């Protein structure tokens, strides 16, 4: 399904089930009866999707003006149009794969921007793409909660300060990162060493 014509609103009056590609190039797709994605991808390059959305699989790119539930296996790839939702809830059956290919949020690594509540459970995985190799202390803001108030819950087995692994790279997770209520990943284990001209090994430029 590709919405490419007109800047107005296209109304969907029935349940919408996606396992392929839904692309919104302009205008608004209003899915009042609900949208369920079991696979494939949802890509919003212009305009937006409005209405409740449940992702059971596949990937998401672009703005969704509605409540998003992740109850399956969902990946967030880098995109020039960040994934923005009204709220984000991940159930205990859900898993989120964060794709990291650089240090620029959204463009080089996936980021979810949420204007409302964030409720977390289920699994979190990190996938390094495009042969990217992070350095110690690189930080990635993967869920940017734009509203006030704390994040509710945490990913399974990953309370505050736990380590998420992607091969030999370890990322410390925080649910109070960013401006105090965002999910961040900070590289704490990396085989890459930055040479700063001395032999203490910390890369800070001082002995």
């Amino acid at each position: 399904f590709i919405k490419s014509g007109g800047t107005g609103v296209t109304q969907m009056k029935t349940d919408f089930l996606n396992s392929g590609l839904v692309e919104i190039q302009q205008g608004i797709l209003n899915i009042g009866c609900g949208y369920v994605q079991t696979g494939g991808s949802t890509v919003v390059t212009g305009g937006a999707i409005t209405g409740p959305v449940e992702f059971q699989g596949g990937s998401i790119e672009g703005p969704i003006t509605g409540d998003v539930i992740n109850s399956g296996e969902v990946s967030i790839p880098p995109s020039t149009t960040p994934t923005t939702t009204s709220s984000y809830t991940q159930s205990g059956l859900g898993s989120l794969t964060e794709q990291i290919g650089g240090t620029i949020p959204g463009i080089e690594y996936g980021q979810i921007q949420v204007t409302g509540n964030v409720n977390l459970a289920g699994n979190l995985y990190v996938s390094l793409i495009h042969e990217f190799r992070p350095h110690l202390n690189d930080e990635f803001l993967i869920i940017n909660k734009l509203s006030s108030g704390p994040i509710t819950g945490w990913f399974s087995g990953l309370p505050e300060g736990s380590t998420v692994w992607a091969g030999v790279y370890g990322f410390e997770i925080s649910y109070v990162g960013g401006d105090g209520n965002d999910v961040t990943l900070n590289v704490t284990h990396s085989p890459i060493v930055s040479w700063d001209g001395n032999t203490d090994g910390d890369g800070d430029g001082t002995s």
Side-chain angles (χ1 to χ4, degrees):
F1 178 93
I2 298 177
K3 178 173 167 49
S4 60
T7 58
V9 178
T10 298
Q11 303 281 355
M12 298 294 292
K13 299 295 187 179
T14 184
D15 293 341
F16 196 106
L17 181 64
N18 176 41
S19 59
L21 170 66
V22 170
E23 181 176 357
I24 310 301
Q25 298 176 354
Q26 60 179 331
I28 296 173
L29 178 64
N30 184 12
I31 309 174
C33 293
Y35 178 107
V36 177
Q37 177 173 295
T38 58
S41 59
T42 296
V43 180
V44 183
T45 55
I49 292 177
T50 63
V53 177
E54 179 178 356
F55 288 97
Q56 298 175 356
S59 62
I60 320 167
E61 298 178 45
I64 298 173
T65 307
D67 299 321
V68 170
I69 297 174
N70 175 8
S71 60
E73 299 178 1
V74 172
S75 63
I76 304 295
S79 173
T80 55
T81 54
T83 300
T84 305
T85 72
S86 297
S87 70
Y88 179 80
T89 297
Q90 182 166 313
S91 74
L93 298 175
S95 67
L96 181 68
T97 298
E98 173 63 32
Q99 297 184 17
I100 298 178
T103 57
I104 301 175
I107 296 175
E108 293 184 337
Y109 70 88
Q111 183 186 80
I112 304 175
Q113 298 181 359
V114 186
T115 59
N117 295 327
V118 176
N119 302 282
L120 298 178
N123 296 315
L124 172 69
Y125 304 105
V126 174
S127 175
L128 299 178
I129 60 174
H130 306 317
E131 300 184 352
F132 176 63
R133 299 296 178 261
H135 291 74
L136 287 175
N137 299 317
D138 282 351
E139 186 172 87
F140 306 91
L141 198 164
I142 63 171
I143 300 181
N144 185 7
K145 189 174 186 292
L146 302 174
S147 60
S148 62
I151 287 173
T152 301
W154 55 81
F155 294 108
S156 178
L158 296 173
E160 177 74 21
S162 298
T163 300
V164 186
W165 291 93
V168 295
Y169 297 89
F171 301 79
E172 182 181 292
I173 191 167
S174 177
Y175 303 93
V176 291
D179 59 6
N181 62 351
D182 304 318
V183 181
T184 57
L185 298 174
N186 184 276
V187 179
T188 54
H189 298 79
S190 172
I192 298 177
V193 177
S194 298
W195 171 248
D196 60 9
N198 61 63
T199 58
D200 63 4
D202 62 6
D204 66 359
T206 62
S207 298

